[in-house]
Amino acid sequence: MMGAAEGTPARISVCIATYRRPDLLGALLGDLAVQTRLPEQIVIVDNDAAASAAAVVNDWRARLPRIDLSYEVQPEQNISLTRNRTVALADGDLLAFIDDDERAPPHWLAELEAALLRFNADGALAPVLPVLPAHAPEWIRRGGFYDRYQMPTGSVVPPNELRIGNAILVADRLRWLDPVFNPDYGLTGGEDGDMLLRLVNGGARLIWCEAAAVSEPVPEARLRLGWILKRAMRGGQDFARHFRVGRFGGRPSTARSVMFFARAASQMVTAAGLAILTLPVGRHRAAYWLGRACANFGKLSVLLGWHYREYAQPPAVTARIDGTAACR
């Protein structure tokens, strides 16, 4: 069913796209080294033309003699091309995806594989739990802006919650897609939702695995209202882009499109008003409604052909394990 010969264990490749986070990547490789279910292969593709991950990969290659550790540089700045290269290099029956700034407990890979088998699914997605630093503003804690989706194991993942940051997929399913990750999303983000929606629309069954949660430190740069609002706007743009190309039940008619964008305009105005009205109650409430306004603005901005390119001009810093940043 999963590409492995009958009666033999599936071969698992862990796919990691990385960019200027050598310390965090090293910590993740340390987690993968002590998994109760070791992967047969780890594929790392570096989107930094300077190959900033090379040293840490070479260090861990010597420590992981039982695991095939593959590393390549993909110099063009594009997250889709980078992810596609990980898939091209992976030779597993199952492909596990995890981000370079996440931490995986020892049972992570075993739980993902077990859920896939138990529910006879084509893929399993799992939670990414944010870890806020001790000094995070109270309004951010109260607002839950970094809380991630959770639900019972075995549940079918709804279309608007499809993410690749913590997942395992049957490799044969990905081979149906061309491209796997669309390069048009390479600087804006949203490539993971687009890919998973195409899988689902092609008949794939993706389920949830609550027990395979990983953690992710929230860096200092994201503890700001501006970042939260920009991410909300990008989420709205992603949703509208998927809607317009028919990822949610077929390409929409003109009437359905008019209703979609009219509703976005109405909700944007309403949310902006609620942001003003709720500010005396608490900054976290006003920020929530501002986020909703920005998300709907993001939907409307797609009509103008404008896309926020979140990954086009990243800061020239290297993330560290403690969530701070070191100047390069």
Side-chain angles (χ1 to χ4, degrees):
M1 181 187 69
M2 294 179 294
E6 186 174 353
T8 63
R11 179 176 170 88
I12 298 182
S13 299
V14 176
C15 298
I16 306 169
T18 190
Y19 181 75
R20 293 184 179 177
R21 289 169 170 167
D23 289 348
L24 293 175
L25 177 62
L28 173 59
L29 289 174
D31 292 343
L32 298 180
V34 296
Q35 292 293 302
T36 58
R37 197 296 189 202
L38 287 173
E40 281 72 26
Q41 182 189 30
I42 299 173
V43 177
I44 301 167
V45 177
D46 193 345
N47 200 194
D48 182 8
S52 55
V56 70
V57 172
N58 289 334
D59 178 49
W60 275 101
R61 183 177 281 119
R63 302 193 213 180
L64 299 171
R66 296 171 54 192
I67 299 175
D68 176 13
L69 183 54
S70 302
Y71 172 74
E72 278 195 9
V73 174
Q74 196 290 111
E76 181 181 348
Q77 191 178 8
N78 188 300
I79 184 61
S80 295
L81 296 179
T82 305
R83 290 195 190 277
N84 283 340
R85 193 58 191 152
T86 67
V87 173
L89 293 171
D91 59 16
D93 307 300
L94 303 176
L95 305 187
F97 294 86
I98 188 168
D99 288 347
D100 61 352
D101 60 344
E102 295 173 357
R103 300 299 304 273
H107 61 271
W108 168 68
L109 196 56
E111 293 286 0
L112 279 178
E113 183 182 30
L116 196 74
L117 294 171
R118 177 184 173 191
F119 295 98
N120 193 29
D122 299 295
L125 280 58
V128 178
L129 307 178
V131 179
L132 290 169
H135 64 276
E138 183 60 27
W139 67 270
I140 285 183
R141 294 186 184 278
R142 294 181 66 188
F145 298 104
Y146 297 96
D147 292 350
R148 299 295 180 91
Y149 191 78
Q150 294 177 262
M151 62 181 174
T153 294
S155 304
V156 174
V157 184
N160 63 331
E161 294 295 342
L162 295 173
R163 305 287 187 276
I164 203 70
N166 180 10
I168 192 168
L169 300 171
V170 175
D172 283 346
R173 279 288 189 177
L174 291 181
R175 297 188 180 107
W176 295 0
L177 303 179
D178 183 22
V180 178
F181 294 96
N182 188 340
D184 289 345
Y185 292 87
L187 295 179
T188 63
E191 80 293 340
D192 53 346
D194 172 77
M195 182 274 285
L196 292 170
L197 283 167
R198 283 185 284 134
L199 272 185
V200 169
N201 290 337
R205 183 167 174 270
L206 305 181
I207 58 95
W208 192 252
C209 179
E210 188 69 22
V214 299
S215 61
E216 177 185 54
V218 179
E220 182 75 29
R222 298 184 182 182
L223 299 177
R224 299 185 178 95
L225 179 61
W227 191 91
I228 292 171
L229 298 183
K230 287 177 181 178
R231 177 52 67 97
M233 179 181 64
R234 202 206 84 182
Q237 287 188 333
D238 290 347
F239 190 88
R241 292 173 77 184
H242 298 332
F243 170 79
R244 295 188 83 189
V245 297
R247 300 283 182 254
F248 302 122
R251 191 174 291 273
S253 64
T254 300
R256 187 177 166 210
S257 294
V258 169
M259 290 181 62
F260 175 87
F261 288 107
R263 184 166 58 249
S266 174
Q267 291 176 344
M268 179 183 69
V269 173
T270 300
L274 287 170
I276 296 172
L277 291 174
T278 57
L279 183 57
V281 181
R283 185 179 179 185
H284 65 293
R285 296 189 184 279
Y288 169 80
W289 288 113
L290 275 177
R292 299 305 306 156
C294 286
N296 282 288
F297 171 78
K299 294 176 184 177
L300 294 171
S301 69
V302 170
L303 289 172
L304 302 176
W306 177 73
H307 301 130
Y308 171 53
R309 303 203 304 170
E310 182 174 349
Y311 303 115
Q313 294 180 326
V317 299
T318 299
R320 295 199 297 235
I321 295 174
D322 60 4
T324 62
C327 296
R328 292 188 59 81

